[in-house]
Every structure is written in structure tokens, then in C-alpha cells.
Amino acid sequence: MSKPPFFPAFQLKTPPGEDRPRQVCDTCGFINYVNPKIVVGSVVAVDGGVLMCRRAIEPRKGFWTLPAGFMEEGETVEAAALREALEEAQAKLTLQGVLAIYSVPHISQVQIMFRATLAEPGFAPGPESLETAVFALDALPEKEFAFPSVAWALKDYRRFLAGEPGPFSNPA
């Protein structure tokens, strides 16, 4: 059975002027650029500790993370960070600045982490979280972190609290 004429067929090839293979439409020559995904999140300071969420979804269901997630089309990074905190922790935040920008090329992600505080008192698990909690920096559930970037962000947050200005980037 052949494909209808309106259904493009793509081949992986290196277009003229490009330095790597791309998905190119056989019919019209359209180049389908596949770019990294942007993840945004926040280290939220609460009563001397940080707000964390236990994931209710895969990947890494049941593990602890910071309120974070994928940016949506049409959002600023700031709006995405605020939305993710509301979705995951029912928390309204005040962003205080960029803490770090991490490049994670093996999964095609750029992760932007903010420093934040609660704009209003209160937080609770959202639909993507089993529970929310505030952990002191010396009592973090490190063996239960969902992703390496959670550890990176919390280490960089400690560096910020110690007087290093940031923003920080991938660990050396």
C-alpha cells in the first residue's frame, strides 16, 4: 500500500550547507530540524530548606525532584517555571534569578534552574506529585533523587548560599 500524496516521506541525509544528517522530505525538500527540549525548574527556599516533590509519573515515579518540567510553546522560561511549580506543588513562586543552566546532550535537553521563594504561603501535591515536602539542606533524600540534575542544582544552590554568584553550569 502506497502512502497518500499528502503524507511526506523523510530521509536522513546531510543537506547542502549543513554539517550533519537531518530529516529531509523527499517530496519538497523541507528540513525537519529536531532540537533539544528545554526543561525549567526551581530550587524553592522555604523556612531554611528546599521544596521537593515525589514524582507520581514516570520516568522515576516515586523519586524526589525539584518542581520542574518541559517548557511549552509560546512560554517564557520564567512563565514555564512558575507553571511547573503550580502543577507539581500547587505553589505560587517569586523567581529570584537564574541559578544554573545545564546542558544534557545525551538526552537532548537544556535545563534552566531558577532560585525562588513562595509568593504565598502553602504548597501541596499536584497531579504529577505523590507528595511534597521541605527538606533541610543537610537532610536531603539524596539516594532517592530522580535525576542527576537535582543533585547538581542543590549543590549549586549551596554554592550560591556560600557566596558564589552563579549562574552555574554542568559539573566539571
Side-chain angles (χ1 to χ4, degrees):
M1 178 175 211
S2 65
K3 295 179 184 173
F6 59 86
F7 191 79
F10 287 88
Q11 280 191 30
L12 199 59
K13 59 185 176 182
T14 304
E18 295 280 344
D19 65 349
R20 66 193 72 215
R22 308 280 186 182
Q23 296 176 16
V24 180
C25 177
D26 288 339
T27 305
C28 69
F30 172 81
I31 301 169
N32 181 30
Y33 291 95
V34 178
N35 302 110
K37 301 289 185 186
I38 300 173
V39 173
V40 293
S42 303
V43 176
V44 184
V46 180
D47 299 328
V50 293
L51 175 64
M52 297 193 74
C53 306
R54 188 184 295 270
R55 292 178 59 82
I57 59 172
E58 294 295 349
R60 308 289 287 161
K61 181 178 178 179
F63 287 82
W64 289 98
T65 190
L66 299 166
F70 290 103
M71 211 174 145
E72 298 288 349
E73 288 187 22
E75 280 185 316
T76 64
V77 291
E78 294 85 358
L82 295 173
R83 176 185 52 76
E84 285 293 339
L86 195 56
E87 286 177 3
E88 295 188 6
Q90 301 297 297
K92 293 185 179 176
L93 304 185
T94 300
L95 300 179
Q96 298 181 319
V98 174
L99 173 68
I101 300 171
Y102 305 119
S103 296
V104 193
H106 72 279
I107 55 174
S108 294
Q109 289 183 3
V110 175
Q111 300 183 6
I112 302 169
M113 299 302 294
F114 288 91
R115 292 176 291 105
T117 57
L118 293 175
E120 309 179 352
F123 55 87
E128 296 181 1
S129 298
L130 296 170
E131 65 181 302
T132 53
V134 173
F135 290 93
L137 289 173
D138 62 355
L140 294 167
E142 294 180 29
K143 292 184 186 216
E144 297 180 56
F145 284 171
F147 309 107
S149 57
V150 174
W152 302 344
L154 291 167
K155 179 181 177 186
D156 289 337
Y157 182 64
R158 285 187 189 103
R159 291 171 61 193
F160 174 80
L161 292 177
E164 292 185 53
F168 303 97
S169 61
N170 291 54

